[in-house]
Amino acid sequence: MLQINNLHANVGDKPILKGLTLSLNAGEIHAIMGPNGAGKSTLGYVLSGRPGYEVTEGSVTFNGQDLLALEPHERAAAGLFLGFQYPVEIPGVSNVQFLREALNAQRKYRGEAPLTGGEFLKVAREQAGALGMDMDMLKRPVNVGFSGGEKKRNEMVQMGIIDPALAILDETDSGLDIDALRTVGDGINRIMRKPDKAVLLITHYQRLLDYVKPDFVHVLDGGRITRTGGAELALELERDGYKELAA
Amino acid sequence: MTDDIEIKDKAAWDAAEKVADYEHGWSSDIETDFAPKGLNEDTVRFISAKKNEPEWMLEWRLKAFAMWKTMEAPDWAKLNVPPIDYQDAYYYAAPKAKPKLNSLDEVDPEILRVYEKLGIPIAEQKLLAGVEGGEDGGLPQRRVAVDAVFDSVSVATTFRAELDRAGVIFRSISEAIKEYPDLVRKYLGKIVPMHDNYFATLNCAVFSDGTFVYIPEGVRCPMELSTYFRINAENTGQFERTLIVADKGSYVSYLEGCTAPMRDENQLHAAVVELVALDDAEIKYSTVQNWYPGDAEGKGGIYNFVTKRALCQGRNSKVSWTQVETGSAVTWKYPSCVLNGENSVGEFYSVAVTNNHQQADTGTKMIHNGKGSRSTIVSKGISAGHSNNTYRGLVRVAPNAEGVRNFTQCDSLLLGSLSGAHTVPYIEVRNPSAQIEHEATTSKISDDQMFYAMARGLNAEEAVTLIVNGFAKEVLQQLPMEFAVEAQKLLGISLEGSVG
């Protein structure tokens, strides 16, 4: 589904990714772990096309398409979803309005008919309900006045509504208490643990992986993948730390 | 009953057809009856004679003209306006006959594109006139009476029968001067006096047409009233005159929407709007202004110098101004409320968008003379391109006005780094019991917001439209629903090319 080949990327003049190679197949969940400043968030931004993140070398294909040639909204329509580490507030725009417009923009791009208000609300209600989110919150402005945990839960509701092929989740577990962590983990499994979907989990900690079992764990350090293993690698990292690993 | 509705719909349809025809034929096909170019006493007499006005009206115009000749154009606004040659314009142009229907091919494709983007091509005219049908059967049937001002003469009024039954007078001002001279004389020039300002005085001398509304005591106007202003003939100054009187305990909602075709010459518009609300009466006045703003270099747009003022004369009277200003090269406009009545209420909700080289200096005045009078001001300025957007507002509390309250909120949103936003509040309080609040913010659309929206599937323009509409929401939600939908789209269109 996703092939990243020798990816180099700069933020400003500073090289952050330095030859990253990674391959995800449909049906797989991959976790990327690594110390602060390793380039984890940069990877998420580069893959979703954030302006200011410049690819200097390498290639990325997504279901056979040259992902890097697409605009951010085209990547979204192609089935890529980025769960934000710091979800952004948009005052005056309700969650419902935001998501309906976003979803219908994606559908239009793909040549599909737009969802009516009723159809959309049905989907939104289901997804909000499954993640224990009050419908009132869906009517509130996007992320405005939400707690850290509510924002992350909202990202998962968005993911459920958009129903992407590939989700890149950037530290979705940070700022969550134990109960919320379980809810979010269940959400990821329910929405994305499917034969035709894949997930790239970017995380600092092993604890989310108690709920979402990764098929592969990669260590990202110095802008490259330095080690790859199974779920047990995460436990090893938790025990020994990244320093030990580097040594 | 059924017959009634059919007849009404038929009348509405006919009126809409008429409007739509003009819509098609705005270009040179319409034979225009021009007053000779230039401005002198003869021009004023020509206009008055063309409209068969009574002697008192002509005298009033001539007095205004004599006054105007002694006045000078104001220059205190933060606007850069080249000198206007008042002798190099026509002051009266009437369409002679109903123009024949031309094909859509003859309409400027740029304008058609904008209409299409608005989702309101020609069929909108019919919809607005309350004609059943259209693609979206889910919407409630619109109940809007349209009085179309095409160039300078009112050409169609619909729903007149039903309004007549309710006792509501909804006429072009020229008709009203003849049919209801006492009522017109009682209020005309009483809210905005003849000597008020340069442009208002000019309007008094040469006003071409406009609208008169009277809502009798205790009547809730059975439908929204709407006037479409269009500027059509090249080099024609547009001098509209609107007078709305809401008698005791009455209510009316009035919509004013404007579009103008592309022109190369600058066009002057100097309208005067006067509102009067008596005891317990309420007037809601909504405007969507989308006149030609000029091209990307700022050439050729409309100059809009408008004087709008409401007199809240009665106890518990209320006037609410809502405006969405996206057009014109230059906007100079301060819809105001004089709150004389005890416990009277004034409201001003405004969204002003400027892009490219547009300039807007707009705001309001809330003059509190009545005890316990209250006012709310919410102004949202959005500046893009090389444009400048200024809020200028006055809140004044008279010495005898006890217990006055005002809340003002002024928010500015900047797009790009070349545009300007300015806030100029004037607060004059002469009574210590007044509570005045003023809040102001200036912000930019952040890269984070843009990327977040785009990562969810919106392109750059859709993302800006969404964020801007969120910013302006408090104002947009004051508009009647159908208007609000159009206004939202309009904001996006106005900001086209400002990102990316």
Side-chain angles (χ1 to χ4, degrees), chain B residues 263-285:
Chain B
R263 287 295 172 192
D264 285 324
E265 299 296 319
N266 287 314
Q267 293 178 305
L268 173 65
H269 184 99
V272 172
V273 176
E274 298 180 285
L275 312 183
V276 184
L278 302 183
D279 287 357
D280 303 303
E282 179 176 352
I283 302 174
K284 187 174 167 62
Y285 193 105

Side-chain angles (χ1 to χ4, degrees), chain B residues 257-491:
Chain B
C258 314
T259 61
M262 290 228 187
R263 287 295 172 192
D264 285 324
E265 299 296 319
N266 287 314
Q267 293 178 305
L268 173 65
H269 184 99
V272 172
V273 176
E274 298 180 285
L275 312 183
V276 184
L278 302 183
D279 287 357
D280 303 303
E282 179 176 352
I283 302 174
K284 187 174 167 62
Y285 193 105
S286 311
T287 305
V288 172
Q289 187 265 116
N290 181 28
W291 281 329
Y292 184 51
D295 61 18
E297 275 74 51
K299 188 169 165 284
I302 305 282
Y303 291 180
N304 192 20
F305 299 94
V306 186
T307 306
K308 289 183 167 179
R309 193 171 305 152
L311 187 60
C312 289
Q313 186 62 25
R315 291 166 59 101
N316 308 319
S317 58
K318 178 177 176 182
V319 169
S320 183
W321 298 100
T322 304
Q323 61 173 20
V324 176
E325 301 281 321
T326 62
S328 296
V330 176
T331 300
W332 181 96
K333 182 180 173 186
Y334 316 91
S336 304
C337 295
V338 179
L339 299 160
N340 285 348
E342 200 176 318
N343 297 327
S344 57
V345 176
E347 293 176 342
F348 175 73
Y349 297 96
S350 170
V351 177
V353 180
T354 52
N355 196 1
N356 298 319
H357 287 267
Q358 280 177 278
Q359 308 172 64
D361 192 305
T362 185
T364 185
K365 289 189 262 186
M366 294 292 175
I367 312 294
H368 291 266
N369 297 324
K371 286 179 185 160
S373 55
R374 306 188 301 281
S375 61
T376 303
I377 299 170
V378 178
S379 165
K380 304 274 181 176
I382 299 154
S383 332
H386 292 79
S387 70
N388 265 299
N389 203 325
T390 302
Y391 167 82
R392 187 182 302 276
L394 167 67
V395 177
R396 177 184 289 158
V397 180
N400 296 328
E402 297 288 331
V404 164
R405 291 209 310 262
N406 162 265
F407 173 75
T408 301
Q409 183 187 336
C410 280
D411 298 324
S412 303
L413 188 68
L414 295 167
L415 279 74
S417 52
L418 301 171
S419 57
H422 316 274
T423 300
V424 191
Y426 304 77
I427 300 175
E428 302 172 12
V429 179
R430 296 200 174 79
N431 185 305
S433 68
Q435 286 180 38
I436 310 293
E437 288 176 69
H438 183 97
E439 291 178 4
T441 66
T442 302
S443 54
K444 291 185 78 165
I445 290 186
S446 74
D447 295 343
D448 282 346
Q449 285 174 328
M450 282 298 290
F451 178 62
Y452 191 61
M454 291 180 74
R456 292 292 175 262
L458 298 171
N459 66 32
E461 261 174 41
E462 290 165 339
V464 167
T465 301
L466 184 86
I467 294 165
V468 165
N469 274 300
F471 171 75
K473 187 184 176 189
E474 286 161 277
V475 174
L476 296 177
Q477 68 192 9
Q478 297 293 330
L479 291 169
M481 197 179 76
E482 305 90 331
F483 238 32
V485 173
E486 277 168 37
Q488 283 179 18
K489 291 177 182 162
L490 196 54
L491 291 189

Side-chain angles (χ1 to χ4, degrees), chain A residues 27 46 93 97 117 137 143 156 175 181 206 212:
Chain A
V46 167
V93 178
Q97 183 194 359
M137 282 189 73
N143 293 318
M156 293 301 99
L181 190 66
Q206 197 273 333
V212 183

